[in-house]
mmCIF file of all heavy atoms in Angstrom:
data_model
loop_
_atom_site.group_PDB
_atom_site.id
_atom_site.type_symbol
_atom_site.label_atom_id
_atom_site.label_comp_id
_atom_site.label_asym_id
_atom_site.label_seq_id
_atom_site.Cartn_x
_atom_site.Cartn_y
_atom_site.Cartn_z
ATOM 1 N N TYR N 34 54.263 166.511 201.635
ATOM 2 C CA TYR N 34 54.197 167.932 201.312
ATOM 3 C C TYR N 34 53.626 168.056 199.904
ATOM 4 O O TYR N 34 54.255 167.669 198.917
ATOM 5 C CB TYR N 34 55.580 168.569 201.395
ATOM 6 C CG TYR N 34 55.552 170.061 201.174
ATOM 7 C CD1 TYR N 34 55.238 170.922 202.222
ATOM 8 C CD2 TYR N 34 55.820 170.614 199.918
ATOM 9 C CE1 TYR N 34 55.198 172.292 202.035
ATOM 10 C CE2 TYR N 34 55.786 171.985 199.718
ATOM 11 C CZ TYR N 34 55.473 172.813 200.782
ATOM 12 O OH TYR N 34 55.420 174.170 200.597
ATOM 13 N N LEU N 35 52.438 168.626 199.781
ATOM 14 C CA LEU N 35 51.715 168.582 198.516
ATOM 15 C C LEU N 35 51.779 169.865 197.699
ATOM 16 O O LEU N 35 51.575 169.825 196.480
ATOM 17 C CB LEU N 35 50.236 168.243 198.781
ATOM 18 C CG LEU N 35 49.937 166.868 199.366
ATOM 19 C CD1 LEU N 35 48.436 166.714 199.600
ATOM 20 C CD2 LEU N 35 50.433 165.775 198.445
ATOM 21 N N VAL N 36 52.029 171.005 198.324
ATOM 22 C CA VAL N 36 51.970 172.278 197.597
ATOM 23 C C VAL N 36 52.988 172.278 196.451
ATOM 24 O O VAL N 36 54.172 172.012 196.651
ATOM 25 C CB VAL N 36 52.227 173.469 198.537
ATOM 26 C CG1 VAL N 36 52.287 174.772 197.741
ATOM 27 C CG2 VAL N 36 51.134 173.546 199.592
ATOM 28 N N GLY N 37 52.504 172.568 195.251
ATOM 29 C CA GLY N 37 53.361 172.602 194.071
ATOM 30 C C GLY N 37 53.469 171.289 193.339
ATOM 31 O O GLY N 37 54.086 171.225 192.273
ATOM 32 N N LYS N 38 52.853 170.239 193.877
ATOM 33 C CA LYS N 38 52.919 168.939 193.217
ATOM 34 C C LYS N 38 51.695 168.718 192.330
ATOM 35 O O LYS N 38 50.648 169.327 192.520
ATOM 36 C CB LYS N 38 53.000 167.813 194.250
ATOM 37 C CG LYS N 38 54.323 167.744 194.980
ATOM 38 C CD LYS N 38 54.374 166.539 195.910
ATOM 39 C CE LYS N 38 55.717 166.449 196.620
ATOM 40 N NZ LYS N 38 55.773 165.278 197.535
ATOM 41 N N ARG N 39 51.854 167.809 191.366
ATOM 42 C CA ARG N 39 50.727 167.384 190.537
ATOM 43 C C ARG N 39 50.061 166.186 191.194
ATOM 44 O O ARG N 39 50.738 165.299 191.733
ATOM 45 C CB ARG N 39 51.199 167.012 189.132
ATOM 46 C CG ARG N 39 51.671 168.191 188.309
ATOM 47 C CD ARG N 39 52.278 167.745 187.003
ATOM 48 N NE ARG N 39 53.481 166.955 187.215
ATOM 49 C CZ ARG N 39 54.191 166.418 186.226
ATOM 50 N NH1 ARG N 39 53.806 166.555 184.971
ATOM 51 N NH2 ARG N 39 55.291 165.720 186.492
ATOM 52 N N TYR N 54 47.069 170.717 189.822
ATOM 53 C CA TYR N 54 48.208 171.272 190.557
ATOM 54 C C TYR N 54 47.726 171.765 191.916
ATOM 55 O O TYR N 54 46.752 172.524 192.002
ATOM 56 C CB TYR N 54 48.834 172.428 189.789
ATOM 57 C CG TYR N 54 49.481 172.014 188.494
ATOM 58 C CD1 TYR N 54 48.729 171.898 187.324
ATOM 59 C CD2 TYR N 54 50.845 171.728 188.434
ATOM 60 C CE1 TYR N 54 49.318 171.514 186.135
ATOM 61 C CE2 TYR N 54 51.438 171.345 187.250
ATOM 62 C CZ TYR N 54 50.673 171.243 186.101
ATOM 63 O OH TYR N 54 51.261 170.855 184.918
ATOM 64 N N VAL N 55 48.402 171.359 192.969
ATOM 65 C CA VAL N 55 48.061 171.802 194.318
ATOM 66 C C VAL N 55 48.705 173.163 194.571
ATOM 67 O O VAL N 55 49.928 173.301 194.533
ATOM 68 C CB VAL N 55 48.538 170.795 195.376
ATOM 69 C CG1 VAL N 55 48.179 171.306 196.779
ATOM 70 C CG2 VAL N 55 47.915 169.425 195.139
ATOM 71 N N LEU N 56 47.883 174.189 194.821
ATOM 72 C CA LEU N 56 48.401 175.525 195.095
ATOM 73 C C LEU N 56 48.294 175.905 196.566
ATOM 74 O O LEU N 56 48.930 176.864 197.010
ATOM 75 C CB LEU N 56 47.670 176.571 194.247
ATOM 76 C CG LEU N 56 47.807 176.447 192.720
ATOM 77 C CD1 LEU N 56 47.244 177.687 192.043
ATOM 78 C CD2 LEU N 56 49.245 176.229 192.293
ATOM 79 N N ASP N 77 54.041 163.443 191.735
ATOM 80 C CA ASP N 77 55.429 163.916 191.789
ATOM 81 C C ASP N 77 56.078 163.582 193.128
ATOM 82 O O ASP N 77 55.437 163.679 194.180
ATOM 83 C CB ASP N 77 55.493 165.435 191.577
ATOM 84 C CG ASP N 77 54.960 165.855 190.222
ATOM 85 O OD1 ASP N 77 55.428 165.304 189.215
ATOM 86 O OD2 ASP N 77 54.073 166.732 190.181
ATOM 87 N N GLU N 79 58.700 165.373 194.123
ATOM 88 C CA GLU N 79 59.032 166.707 194.629
ATOM 89 C C GLU N 79 58.187 167.730 193.881
ATOM 90 O O GLU N 79 57.737 167.471 192.760
ATOM 91 C CB GLU N 79 60.519 166.997 194.454
ATOM 92 C CG GLU N 79 60.995 166.921 193.027
ATOM 93 C CD GLU N 79 62.494 167.103 192.921
ATOM 94 O OE1 GLU N 79 63.029 167.912 193.709
ATOM 95 O OE2 GLU N 79 63.113 166.471 192.067
ATOM 96 N N PRO N 80 57.943 168.884 194.469
ATOM 97 C CA PRO N 80 57.099 169.883 193.809
ATOM 98 C C PRO N 80 57.683 170.334 192.470
ATOM 99 O O PRO N 80 58.895 170.519 192.335
ATOM 100 C CB PRO N 80 57.079 171.048 194.813
ATOM 101 C CG PRO N 80 57.399 170.425 196.123
ATOM 102 C CD PRO N 80 58.357 169.317 195.816
ATOM 103 N N VAL N 81 56.816 170.507 191.471
ATOM 104 C CA VAL N 81 57.231 171.081 190.187
ATOM 105 C C VAL N 81 57.015 172.592 190.189
ATOM 106 O O VAL N 81 57.499 173.292 189.300
ATOM 107 C CB VAL N 81 56.472 170.432 189.013
ATOM 108 C CG1 VAL N 81 56.866 168.975 188.857
ATOM 109 C CG2 VAL N 81 54.964 170.569 189.178
ATOM 110 N N LEU N 82 56.268 173.087 191.190
ATOM 111 C CA LEU N 82 56.091 174.525 191.395
ATOM 112 C C LEU N 82 56.577 174.860 192.798
ATOM 113 O O LEU N 82 56.141 174.247 193.773
ATOM 114 C CB LEU N 82 54.625 174.927 191.272
ATOM 115 C CG LEU N 82 53.967 174.900 189.897
ATOM 116 C CD1 LEU N 82 52.466 175.126 190.036
ATOM 117 C CD2 LEU N 82 54.578 175.954 188.988
ATOM 118 N N SER N 83 57.484 175.827 192.900
ATOM 119 C CA SER N 83 57.932 176.237 194.227
ATOM 120 C C SER N 83 56.869 177.121 194.870
ATOM 121 O O SER N 83 56.025 177.709 194.189
ATOM 122 C CB SER N 83 59.255 177.010 194.125
ATOM 123 O OG SER N 83 59.034 178.282 193.557
ATOM 124 N N GLU N 84 56.921 177.217 196.186
ATOM 125 C CA GLU N 84 55.966 178.084 196.885
ATOM 126 C C GLU N 84 56.117 179.533 196.447
ATOM 127 O O GLU N 84 55.154 180.299 196.410
ATOM 128 C CB GLU N 84 56.173 177.962 198.400
ATOM 129 C CG GLU N 84 55.517 176.728 199.003
ATOM 130 C CD GLU N 84 55.369 176.842 200.507
ATOM 131 O OE1 GLU N 84 54.400 177.485 200.965
ATOM 132 O OE2 GLU N 84 56.222 176.289 201.212
ATOM 133 N N ARG N 85 57.340 179.927 196.061
ATOM 134 C CA ARG N 85 57.574 181.294 195.607
ATOM 135 C C ARG N 85 56.970 181.545 194.229
ATOM 136 O O ARG N 85 56.735 182.694 193.853
ATOM 137 C CB ARG N 85 59.076 181.583 195.588
ATOM 138 C CG ARG N 85 59.675 181.737 196.978
ATOM 139 C CD ARG N 85 61.116 182.213 196.895
ATOM 140 N NE ARG N 85 61.610 182.654 198.193
ATOM 141 C CZ ARG N 85 62.768 183.242 198.386
ATOM 142 N NH1 ARG N 85 63.567 183.475 197.354
ATOM 143 N NH2 ARG N 85 63.142 183.620 199.589
ATOM 144 N N ALA N 86 56.765 180.490 193.460
ATOM 145 C CA ALA N 86 56.172 180.654 192.126
ATOM 146 C C ALA N 86 54.680 180.934 192.211
ATOM 147 O O ALA N 86 54.115 181.583 191.324
ATOM 148 C CB ALA N 86 56.415 179.401 191.287
ATOM 149 N N ILE N 87 54.032 180.483 193.262
ATOM 150 C CA ILE N 87 52.572 180.575 193.338
ATOM 151 C C ILE N 87 52.068 182.021 193.398
ATOM 152 O O ILE N 87 51.135 182.379 192.677
ATOM 153 C CB ILE N 87 52.053 179.718 194.512
ATOM 154 C CG1 ILE N 87 52.315 178.230 194.191
ATOM 155 C CG2 ILE N 87 50.566 179.962 194.758
ATOM 156 C CD1 ILE N 87 52.041 177.276 195.317
ATOM 157 N N ILE N 90 52.165 183.354 189.929
ATOM 158 C CA ILE N 90 51.083 182.819 189.090
ATOM 159 C C ILE N 90 49.825 183.674 189.249
ATOM 160 O O ILE N 90 49.181 184.051 188.259
ATOM 161 C CB ILE N 90 50.808 181.346 189.460
ATOM 162 C CG1 ILE N 90 51.957 180.458 188.957
ATOM 163 C CG2 ILE N 90 49.470 180.872 188.896
ATOM 164 C CD1 ILE N 90 51.925 179.057 189.496
ATOM 165 N N ALA N 104 49.016 180.373 183.274
ATOM 166 C CA ALA N 104 50.157 180.882 184.032
ATOM 167 C C ALA N 104 51.004 179.734 184.578
ATOM 168 O O ALA N 104 52.237 179.780 184.543
ATOM 169 C CB ALA N 104 49.674 181.772 185.172
ATOM 170 N N ILE N 105 50.357 178.684 185.074
ATOM 171 C CA ILE N 105 51.085 177.522 185.589
ATOM 172 C C ILE N 105 51.922 176.880 184.485
ATOM 173 O O ILE N 105 53.095 176.543 184.676
ATOM 174 C CB ILE N 105 50.103 176.496 186.191
ATOM 175 C CG1 ILE N 105 49.501 177.037 187.492
ATOM 176 C CG2 ILE N 105 50.795 175.154 186.440
ATOM 177 C CD1 ILE N 105 48.348 176.209 188.036
ATOM 178 N N ASN N 106 51.336 176.730 183.310
ATOM 179 C CA ASN N 106 52.042 176.088 182.205
ATOM 180 C C ASN N 106 53.257 176.886 181.744
ATOM 181 O O ASN N 106 54.173 176.327 181.140
ATOM 182 C CB ASN N 106 51.096 175.861 181.024
ATOM 183 C CG ASN N 106 50.122 174.727 181.279
ATOM 184 O OD1 ASN N 106 50.356 173.882 182.148
ATOM 185 N ND2 ASN N 106 49.030 174.703 180.547
ATOM 186 N N ALA N 107 53.269 178.195 182.010
ATOM 187 C CA ALA N 107 54.439 178.993 181.665
ATOM 188 C C ALA N 107 55.652 178.574 182.498
ATOM 189 O O ALA N 107 56.793 178.699 182.051
ATOM 190 C CB ALA N 107 54.147 180.480 181.875
ATOM 191 N N PHE N 108 55.403 178.067 183.701
ATOM 192 C CA PHE N 108 56.482 177.657 184.591
ATOM 193 C C PHE N 108 56.989 176.250 184.300
ATOM 194 O O PHE N 108 58.094 175.899 184.720
ATOM 195 C CB PHE N 108 55.998 177.695 186.053
ATOM 196 C CG PHE N 108 55.904 179.074 186.624
ATOM 197 C CD1 PHE N 108 54.814 179.890 186.344
ATOM 198 C CD2 PHE N 108 56.904 179.577 187.431
ATOM 199 C CE1 PHE N 108 54.720 181.165 186.864
ATOM 200 C CE2 PHE N 108 56.816 180.856 187.962
ATOM 201 C CZ PHE N 108 55.727 181.652 187.678
ATOM 202 N N ILE N 109 56.197 175.449 183.623
ATOM 203 C CA ILE N 109 56.529 174.034 183.470
ATOM 204 C C ILE N 109 56.599 173.694 181.987
ATOM 205 O O ILE N 109 55.587 173.767 181.281
ATOM 206 C CB ILE N 109 55.489 173.148 184.178
ATOM 207 C CG1 ILE N 109 55.389 173.560 185.646
ATOM 208 C CG2 ILE N 109 55.862 171.682 184.067
ATOM 209 C CD1 ILE N 109 54.265 172.905 186.394
ATOM 210 N N TRP N 302 65.565 171.481 182.491
ATOM 211 C CA TRP N 302 64.703 171.980 183.564
ATOM 212 C C TRP N 302 64.928 171.174 184.847
ATOM 213 O O TRP N 302 64.989 171.739 185.951
ATOM 214 C CB TRP N 302 63.253 171.895 183.115
ATOM 215 C CG TRP N 302 62.251 172.564 183.998
ATOM 216 C CD1 TRP N 302 61.842 173.859 183.969
ATOM 217 C CD2 TRP N 302 61.496 171.944 185.062
ATOM 218 N NE1 TRP N 302 60.892 174.094 184.927
ATOM 219 C CE2 TRP N 302 60.655 172.939 185.612
ATOM 220 C CE3 TRP N 302 61.445 170.655 185.576
ATOM 221 C CZ2 TRP N 302 59.794 172.672 186.660
ATOM 222 C CZ3 TRP N 302 60.585 170.395 186.637
ATOM 223 C CH2 TRP N 302 59.766 171.402 187.162
ATOM 224 N N LEU N 306 66.110 172.329 188.558
ATOM 225 C CA LEU N 306 65.295 172.009 189.733
ATOM 226 C C LEU N 306 66.103 171.289 190.801
ATOM 227 O O LEU N 306 65.941 171.535 192.000
ATOM 228 C CB LEU N 306 64.094 171.159 189.305
ATOM 229 C CG LEU N 306 63.094 170.787 190.399
ATOM 230 C CD1 LEU N 306 62.321 172.016 190.865
ATOM 231 C CD2 LEU N 306 62.117 169.715 189.904
ATOM 232 N N PHE N 321 61.217 181.750 183.910
ATOM 233 C CA PHE N 321 60.478 180.892 184.845
ATOM 234 C C PHE N 321 61.336 179.729 185.362
ATOM 235 O O PHE N 321 60.801 178.808 185.984
ATOM 236 C CB PHE N 321 59.230 180.330 184.161
ATOM 237 C CG PHE N 321 58.282 181.382 183.667
ATOM 238 C CD1 PHE N 321 58.168 181.650 182.307
ATOM 239 C CD2 PHE N 321 57.510 182.122 184.539
ATOM 240 C CE1 PHE N 321 57.298 182.622 181.837
ATOM 241 C CE2 PHE N 321 56.642 183.106 184.080
ATOM 242 C CZ PHE N 321 56.543 183.352 182.724
ATOM 243 N N PRO N 323 63.219 177.049 187.420
ATOM 244 C CA PRO N 323 62.828 176.694 188.800
ATOM 245 C C PRO N 323 63.958 176.735 189.821
ATOM 246 O O PRO N 323 64.185 175.781 190.558
ATOM 247 C CB PRO N 323 62.297 175.261 188.621
ATOM 248 C CG PRO N 323 63.118 174.699 187.505
ATOM 249 C CD PRO N 323 63.337 175.851 186.555
#
Side-chain angles (χ1 to χ4, degrees):
Y34 184 83
L35 295 178
V36 175
K38 289 184 179 180
R39 291 173 296 179
Y54 294 85
V55 179
L56 298 190
D77 298 307
E79 59 185 324
V81 293
L82 289 171
S83 71
E84 280 197 82
R85 287 188 167 187
I87 293 172
I90 288 169
I105 290 170
N106 286 341
F108 284 80
I109 304 172
W302 189 88
L306 183 69
F321 301 107

